[in-house]
Amino acid sequence: MAPFFESLFLRCTGYTYSNLARLFMRLFVGIMLMQFGIRHLVKFTALRDTFPAVLGMDHETSLICMIIIEVLCSLFIMLGFLTRISIIPPTVAMLIAEYHILHDMLPDTSIYAIDSIQPGYLPLMFIGIFLFLLLSGPGKISVDYCISLFILARRGKDETETEELEEV
């Protein structure tokens, strides 16, 4: 019985599925972000006068920019196309959303008590996932990886570039 548990332990700890994990994270965060963009698009007429005006833009322009960020960037992130560049606009948008959530709280509400009735945890969750993907990259199950392979094949394989790409 002991060899079975040893084998099971080695299988559970020794093998990593980092590319599959990055694909899952990209799909998860992309779907979560896209559903906000679709909701904003569906309720555009109701939100265009009440959406927070940011960065010197009016309410409607801010909402349009947010919808573009949420829909377009989430599609790029899910596909793994220009992943690290596509992560920057939603990260900035979530930082701005976090600022507005904390800035618009009532003075007697503690900003440190994040619980289920306070919406401050949601932008922080997105920021954390975006930073993870920014550091880890899209992985091998992505359009970025396929484009990288195409570029290397067209250039003629350079040994150091191929090794670096294999480490991804």
Side-chain angles (χ1 to χ4, degrees):
M1 195 61 135
F4 170 75
F5 286 115
E6 288 174 359
S7 176
L8 179 66
F9 181 79
L10 290 175
R11 285 238 181 246
C12 292
T13 59
Y15 295 97
T16 60
Y17 304 100
S18 62
N19 292 307
L20 195 60
R22 287 186 264 182
L23 172 66
F24 172 77
M25 287 299 279
R26 285 195 341 262
L27 292 176
F28 174 77
V29 78
I31 291 169
M32 293 300 293
L33 187 63
M34 184 172 286
Q35 59 116 1
F36 285 109
I38 292 170
R39 285 183 191 173
H40 286 149
L41 192 58
V42 169
K43 297 181 180 187
F44 183 79
T45 55
L47 290 172
R48 71 174 168 200
D49 296 326
T50 60
F51 197 79
V54 294
L55 303 174
M57 296 182 281
D58 64 344
H59 300 283
E60 189 172 352
T61 308
S62 295
L63 180 58
I64 291 169
C65 286
M66 193 63 180
I67 291 170
I68 291 170
I69 287 171
E70 289 169 343
V71 173
L72 192 64
C73 290
S74 64
L75 277 173
F76 283 3
I77 290 168
M78 286 190 291
L79 290 172
F81 179 66
L82 301 173
T83 307
R84 287 185 166 137
I85 295 169
S86 299
I87 286 173
I88 295 170
T91 303
V92 171
M94 289 301 133
L95 286 169
I96 292 170
E98 182 66 23
Y99 170 77
H100 278 284
I101 288 170
L102 294 178
H103 185 264
D104 294 340
M105 287 182 133
L106 299 173
D108 61 343
T109 306
S110 173
I111 63 170
Y112 299 108
I114 297 177
D115 59 18
S116 62
I117 61 170
Q118 292 177 331
Y121 68 90
L122 197 57
L124 289 176
M125 180 196 71
F126 275 109
I127 291 168
I129 294 172
F130 290 146
L131 290 177
F132 169 78
L133 288 172
L134 192 66
L135 292 172
S136 68
K140 290 183 178 179
I141 311 171
S142 67
V143 174
D144 286 345
Y145 185 74
C146 293
I147 292 172
S148 298
L149 289 176
F150 174 76
I151 291 171
L152 286 176
R154 194 179 67 182
R155 264 199 217 166
K157 295 184 180 182
D158 182 15
E159 201 60 38
T160 58
E161 289 176 333
T162 307
E163 288 174 9
E164 287 176 7
L165 195 57
E166 286 301 316
E167 291 177 8
V168 173

